[in-house]
Amino acid sequence: MLHFSRWKMIAILLAVTLGVLLAVPNVLSENARQTLASMGLPSSAVSLGLDLQGGVHLQVKIDREDIVEERLETLVGDIRSLMRDREQGQIGYAGISGQEDTVTLRLLGEGDNERARERLSSLLEPVTSTGTLLGGLGVVEVSETQVSPTVLRYQLTPDGVDERLRSAVSQSIEVIRRRVDELGTTEPVIQRQGVDRIIVQVPGYNDPERLKELIGKTAKLNFHMVDEAMSAQDALANRPPVGSEVIPTNEPESGEPNILIEKRVRIPGGDLNDAQQGFDSRTNEPIVTFRFNNKASQIFCRLSSANIGSRFAIVLDDVSISAPVIRDAICGGSGQISGNFTAQSAADLAVLMRAGALPADISFTEERTVGPGLGADSIEAGQNASIVAAILVVIFMLLAYGKLGIIANIALAANIVIIIGLLSLIGATLTLPGIAGIVLTMGMAVDANVLIYERIREERRNGRSLVQAIDSGFRQAMATILDANITTLIAAFILFYLGSGPIRGFAVTLAIGILTSVFTAFTVTRLMVALWLRWQKPKELPGSIIRLVPAVTNWRFMIFRRLSFPLSAALLMGSLATFVVANLNYGIDFRGGTIVEYQTKQGNADLADIRGRLSELNLGDVQVQEFGAPNEILIRIESQGAGDNAEQSALAKVRAAMDDDHTFRRQEVVGPTVSGELARAGTIAVLVSLLAIMVYIWFRFEWQFAIGAVLATMHDVILTIGMFAVLQIEFSLSSIAAILTIVGYSLNDTVVVYDRIRENLRKFKKLPIRDLLDKSINDTLSRTVMTSVTTLLALFALYFLGGEVLSGFVFAMIFGVIVGTYSSVFIAAPVLILFRLRQGAMDRNDPSPYTGQEAQEVG
């Protein structure tokens, strides 16, 4: 077991060396990384998330209703054109009307029914789909229903609308990408999420309002002739001429708030070749110059030649941005737009014109923005917490295991380096919760070594030689380590699948940490122990300076079930009652709304003054509180209850009131659509993880163990939720991550105890179940306490040094570790008695390690 061939040693050393090579670029400059890349060496570094380097995260939703409305207008036009086709012969009709997703066609007589249906049959043909797994099978976009011989109904199909929506999302991604690229930002992330959402992440960008304005404009640009048959005011007072409409202008101060234009689009915006910001040579005012393609240039030449002296309206998103008079024929294919532009607004309009129009209206359903100052503070806090956590764990392992502790610390260092290397290799983004995942891994990574070392000590106490004890310790601990870590890995996978943003980053680092911990425990640690045996030839295991639990214990844990069950039942009832009566202090992730964090430019924050300013904005419930330091404040604004865009309007008002004398640090905006989805996803995540873990434990053990593990885990989850309700700590998306981590940790602890129970069931076939459970808990007690202490050391470092943003998240995990340790001993094990784990195990004549009065107490 401890013998390593030369090739095995080389393979292990190569794996660790590769991890180091992959991690090294993270401490090098950009020039050094480019040099490595030119040499063909690993050069990728872990990219920092928005919460560490600052930037903007937006979730954009494509308006399905807008897709349906536009498609319905197109369908009405198609039906009208087909019915009026002169080449095939016009078919008279009494009327065409469109409502919701249906177009109704009323014929003049029954004799036109067959001709009309045949004429319109082309609308019912499948349209080739390229955006779905159906490939070329096609999607039927329109269905036909004959209401009566003279009434036909054509309805948009759900599949057709979905296909149009998918196409609109794909097109929107490209348009948004072109717009964002014009900003010159580095490595923006723009990707689809779900059916109708787009995620936009722009690292290092600190002007979220400009970004939203740039992305949010549909930018449907068209060129129309101005109808001068009457004024816009007369058209509004009476009726616009047929084929014309009144639209607003962007120059209301000029005395012309509206303008009457022809509906007919003379030149669509898609015929633009280029648009650039410029300055008028006469007035030096900012303008936008544009250039048409060849086809549009010819049309514009003919149009301008025939309409000298008339006005030409340039319409962006149904607003006239300019309506110049045509002074002479313009045949060069270029022109300019002038108006009340600033240099930036002219540049933004040029970007929109170059990038093209969005195919549908969009809304911002979620926004998370972090200023560069807060990002730098977060990096410093994360580094400090990580360093302190590492120092505490290293010192503790040295004190607890001596030379074996040195080996465990070297394995831990290798583990962290390999984690960083793998994160670099897969191009992962490191977020603040991701740092929390690494710090938590420090505490949990030593668990494998603790399991091995404690098993080695136990085998040595049982009379085995040193080499035999070490060999048996590694072999016996393997199954336990695998079972314990797979349960945590299941929780991490579900967290990644159902989570989003920074929570996924936490899940990735946690999952990678679990895998690397198992690897280092069974390769690096074992190799170093083998080399220690070969070179030092020790006669005994190294001593320890501290020992939290005596080497041998015979404590009667099952007696305490008469206390632990009623106590836990009371706490569970209290938690549920508090949850029902007081409910949770839901964060904006679940109830929607806005959070803005500011720092005063001078002195401490004047909360009363800020509350006074914000109360005048009529935004409903606005809470202002100190956040971390006296000069830092957090503003919470309740959901406006008027759709996703209402949250953006509320945010704009707050920033207008605060930005003059405060420095922006971060903001989060969650609309009602996303908040409802997050609440459902969080609940499903916890339930699915419990189900998946129960199935795994059932498969690996017996059904009693599976039910016992889930009951103990539900006990921990309910108590944690009760803690949130009692203390009114904000319950956010990161709280769900904490609960799922608690699920993994609690099960890790429970599975270690269960694994020993299973082993003892095979060894002591006639031992009374109470005695067997007591023996199993005593056998694993040292490991349970050691792992809990190392994990808590890391978490306390993160709690006190990791910053205010993570405090609630980490506090929940600290609480969960304590409760999880309690439940694995006093709930998960004794509950097996209720399920009669082994028939006949209660026989008092069976051999027992306890005698006399002790055996009576156990009964």
Side-chain angles (χ1 to χ4, degrees):
M1 178 72 178
L2 288 174
H3 175 71
F4 282 88
S5 67
R6 178 179 299 174
W7 295 114
K8 276 187 178 180
M9 293 173 60
I10 292 174
I12 294 170
L13 293 175
L14 283 177
V16 176
T17 303
L18 179 61
V20 172
L21 289 175
L22 291 173
V24 161
N26 290 279
V27 297
L28 300 179
S29 65
E30 181 63 31
N31 290 335
R33 289 200 292 269
Q34 291 177 359
T35 303
L36 288 177
S38 65
M39 297 169 60
L41 296 173
S43 59
S44 299
V46 176
S47 58
L48 299 180
L50 300 185
D51 52 358
L52 293 177
Q53 65 170 316
V56 183
H57 166 100
L58 299 173
Q59 185 182 102
V60 178
K61 180 182 179 184
I62 305 299
D63 192 342
R64 184 185 182 90
E65 288 71 27
D66 188 50
I67 297 287
V68 172
E69 182 180 348
E70 187 171 312
R71 185 73 187 98
L72 194 68
E73 290 179 4
T74 303
L75 182 58
V76 169
D78 290 344
I79 293 175
R80 183 179 288 117
S81 297
L82 288 170
M83 294 294 286
R84 292 178 176 178
D85 191 334
R86 294 184 178 181
E87 293 184 5
Q88 300 184 64
Q90 295 189 32
I91 302 174
Y93 55 88
I96 300 176
S97 61
Q99 188 174 10
E100 295 181 355
D101 61 351
T102 303
V103 177
T104 302
L105 171 64
R106 291 178 173 81
L107 303 173
L108 294 174
E110 297 182 11
D112 294 327
N113 181 282
E114 289 300 324
R115 288 181 61 208
R117 293 183 65 185
E118 183 180 356
R119 180 76 59 84
L120 301 177
S121 62
S122 60
L123 300 174
L124 312 180
E125 296 176 357
V127 177
T128 301
S129 168
T130 58
T132 67
L133 294 176
L134 296 176
L137 295 180
V139 174
V140 176
E141 292 193 298
V142 181
S143 63
E144 179 189 66
T145 304
Q146 181 170 303
V147 181
S148 70
T150 59
V151 178
L152 299 175
R153 185 169 291 160
Y154 293 87
Q155 186 174 24
L156 301 176
T157 65
D159 287 344
V161 174
D162 287 344
E163 180 59 29
R164 291 280 175 169
L165 185 59
R166 276 189 287 267
S167 176
V169 170
S170 298
Q171 184 179 342
S172 297
I173 288 174
E174 294 308 312
V175 172
I176 292 174
R177 189 184 307 280
R178 288 195 294 269
R179 294 181 183 180
V180 174
D181 285 345
E182 293 282 353
L183 296 173
T185 57
T186 56
E187 299 182 2
V189 176
I190 302 168
Q191 60 190 20
R192 180 193 299 265
Q193 185 176 64
V195 177
D196 59 352
R197 310 288 173 84
I198 300 171
I199 295 297
V200 181
Q201 293 183 341
V202 188
Y205 193 70
N206 57 6
D207 191 351
E209 299 309 314
R210 184 187 177 203
L211 181 64
K212 286 185 291 186
E213 185 176 354
L214 197 64
I215 292 176
K217 283 186 178 295
T218 309
K220 290 183 179 178
L221 184 73
N222 293 309
F223 297 82
H224 301 252
M225 292 303 300
V226 175
D227 187 345
E228 302 189 42
M230 64 172 67
S231 67
Q233 288 72 19
D234 290 341
L236 286 172
N238 302 297
R239 274 182 80 179
V242 176
S244 296
E245 63 179 342
V246 177
I247 63 170
T249 71
N250 69 342
E251 301 176 302
E253 65 279 358
S254 66
E256 192 178 28
N258 301 295
I259 190 171
L260 181 66
I261 64 168
E262 296 177 359
K263 289 183 178 179
R264 179 185 174 190
V265 176
R266 297 303 185 102
I267 302 176
D271 286 335
L272 281 173
N273 260 359
D274 190 24
Q276 296 291 335
Q277 176 211 6
F279 293 91
D280 192 302
S281 59
R282 295 165 298 177
T283 64
N284 206 33
E285 292 179 349
I287 60 172
V288 177
T289 61
F290 60 86
R291 182 163 48 86
F292 291 120
N293 60 26
N294 290 334
K295 175 186 173 184
S297 295
Q298 296 172 12
I299 296 174
F300 195 37
C301 181
R302 292 195 300 268
L303 187 67
S304 58
S305 300
N307 291 279
I308 294 176
S310 300
R311 296 174 71 194
F312 192 64
I314 303 170
V315 180
L316 177 68
D317 289 345
D318 297 324
V319 175
S320 172
I321 59 175
S322 184
V325 176
I326 300 175
R327 301 297 182 187
D328 52 284
I330 304 172
C331 296
S334 61
Q336 71 178 42
I337 304 171
S338 59
N340 294 326
F341 291 128
T342 63
Q344 180 172 303
S345 63
D348 288 348
L349 178 58
V351 168
L352 294 172
M353 293 171 67
R354 287 196 301 272
L358 290 171
D361 291 337
I362 65 172
S363 58
F364 296 103
T365 55
E366 182 183 10
E367 175 190 346
R368 302 180 192 274
T369 303
V370 177
L374 181 60
D377 292 347
S378 298
I379 293 175
E380 184 180 359
Q383 287 177 340
N384 292 339
S386 301
I387 292 170
V388 172
I391 292 173
L392 291 176
V393 171
V394 165
I395 292 174
F396 181 77
M397 291 300 290
L398 284 174
L399 295 176
Y401 293 106
K403 289 183 179 179
L404 289 180
I406 296 175
I407 292 175
N409 289 331
I410 294 173
L412 176 62
N415 183 33
I416 294 173
V417 168
I418 294 172
I419 291 174
I420 301 298
L422 289 176
L423 289 175
S424 303
L425 180 64
I426 65 176
T429 299
L430 184 63
T431 61
L432 198 55
I435 292 178
I438 293 176
V439 174
L440 180 63
T441 299
M442 289 183 193
M444 295 181 64
V446 297
D447 177 53
N449 285 316
V450 170
L451 270 169
I452 293 168
Y453 291 170
E454 291 300 318
R455 192 61 188 246
I456 291 172
R457 284 176 169 178
E458 182 183 345
E459 296 294 327
R460 184 69 176 133
R461 287 194 301 270
N462 290 338
R464 291 179 180 266
S465 68
L466 180 61
V467 174
Q468 289 175 334
I470 292 175
D471 181 73
S472 178
F474 274 99
R475 187 174 60 253
Q476 296 285 352
M478 178 176 288
T480 304
I481 292 172
L482 288 177
D483 284 332
N485 282 282
I486 286 174
T487 54
T488 310
L489 197 61
I490 290 172
F493 281 148
I494 292 171
L495 189 61
F496 177 82
Y497 181 73
L498 296 176
S500 62
I503 302 307
R504 280 194 164 191
F506 172 76
V508 168
T509 53
L510 183 62
I512 290 177
I514 292 168
L515 296 175
T516 56
S517 297
V518 174
F519 168 76
T520 54
F522 285 107
T523 57
V524 178
T525 300
R526 200 172 69 179
L527 174 60
M528 288 191 293
V529 170
L531 293 176
W532 171 64
L533 285 175
R534 182 182 302 176
W535 294 340
Q536 302 252 323
K537 295 182 171 49
K539 303 298 182 182
E540 192 52 74
L541 289 172
S544 58
I545 297 176
I546 62 171
R547 190 167 186 90
L548 301 179
V549 177
V552 179
T553 59
N554 291 307
W555 294 338
R556 319 304 307 212
F557 292 100
M558 291 306 102
I559 293 177
F560 293 102
R561 76 183 189 280
R562 296 186 175 90
L563 294 176
S564 64
F565 283 0
L567 174 63
S568 291
L571 291 174
L572 290 173
M573 294 298 293
S575 296
L576 293 173
T578 306
F579 173 74
V580 172
V581 174
N583 210 336
L584 296 174
N585 177 23
Y586 290 108
I588 65 168
D589 290 330
F590 297 122
R591 64 183 180 186
T594 302
I595 286 180
V596 192
E597 184 180 342
Y598 279 103
Q599 187 178 61
T600 59
K601 293 181 179 178
Q602 289 184 346
N604 294 335
D606 187 344
L607 301 185
D609 174 63
I610 295 170
R611 291 190 184 103
R613 290 192 220 176
L614 300 181
S615 65
E616 299 174 359
L617 302 179
N618 297 319
L619 299 177
D621 182 26
V622 178
Q623 301 174 14
V624 181
Q625 66 186 68
E626 187 179 295
F627 191 70
N631 66 333
E632 296 177 0
I633 56 170
L634 193 71
I635 301 171
R636 300 174 187 270
I637 308 165
E638 70 173 348
S639 177
Q640 300 301 293
D644 294 318
N645 286 332
E647 312 300 334
Q648 297 294 328
S649 300
L651 174 63
K653 292 179 181 179
V654 171
R655 295 203 59 170
M658 296 291 298
D659 281 357
D660 288 342
D661 51 355
H662 292 80
T663 301
F664 165 79
R665 288 173 69 80
R666 73 177 171 108
Q667 67 189 33
E668 297 183 23
V669 182
V670 179
T673 304
V674 170
S675 61
E677 292 172 351
L678 292 176
R680 288 191 296 274
T683 304
I684 292 172
V686 175
L687 295 178
V688 170
S689 63
L690 286 175
L691 178 62
I693 291 166
M694 184 176 74
V695 171
Y696 174 79
I697 294 177
W698 196 326
F699 174 76
R700 288 287 292 142
F701 295 83
E702 296 180 35
W703 68 266
Q704 294 98 330
F705 289 97
I707 296 176
V710 169
L711 287 177
T713 306
M714 288 180 64
H715 165 276
D716 300 342
V717 169
I718 293 172
L719 288 187
T720 304
I721 292 174
M723 179 271 296
F724 274 103
V726 170
L727 300 180
Q728 286 297 289
I729 298 174
E730 183 179 270
F731 193 82
S732 62
L733 194 58
S734 62
S735 305
I736 294 291
I739 288 176
L740 276 173
T741 307
I742 290 167
V743 167
Y745 182 88
S746 174
L747 280 160
N748 182 301
D749 221 8
T750 300
V751 167
V752 170
V753 176
Y754 277 2
D755 192 81
R756 184 56 67 94
I757 292 172
R758 179 177 59 179
E759 180 182 334
N760 287 336
L761 280 170
R762 294 167 181 160
K763 285 184 179 179
F764 308 101
K765 297 185 179 299
K766 294 185 178 182
L767 186 65
I769 190 64
R770 294 177 182 84
D771 296 357
L772 187 140
L773 296 178
D774 277 335
K775 175 173 174 52
S776 300
I777 295 173
N778 279 293
D779 288 346
T780 57
L781 187 60
S782 181
R783 172 266 161 198
T784 298
V785 173
M786 295 286 287
T787 297
S788 297
V789 169
T790 52
T791 305
L792 287 172
L793 285 174
L795 289 175
F796 276 120
L798 195 62
Y799 179 75
F800 289 109
L801 301 174
E804 194 74 23
V805 175
L806 276 181
S807 60
F809 171 73
V810 177
F811 182 79
M813 290 203 291
I814 291 173
F815 181 86
V817 168
I818 296 171
V819 171
T821 303
Y822 161 81
S823 69
S824 65
V825 174
F826 296 104
I827 301 297
V831 82
L832 296 177
I833 298 174
L834 301 179
F835 297 137
R836 298 188 177 276
L837 177 61
R838 189 175 67 194
Q839 295 296 330
M842 307 298 292
D843 188 350
R844 284 296 169 202
N845 295 321
D846 286 343
S848 170
Y850 310 109
T851 59
Q853 183 64 30
E854 289 179 340
Q856 295 177 12
E857 290 175 356
V858 172

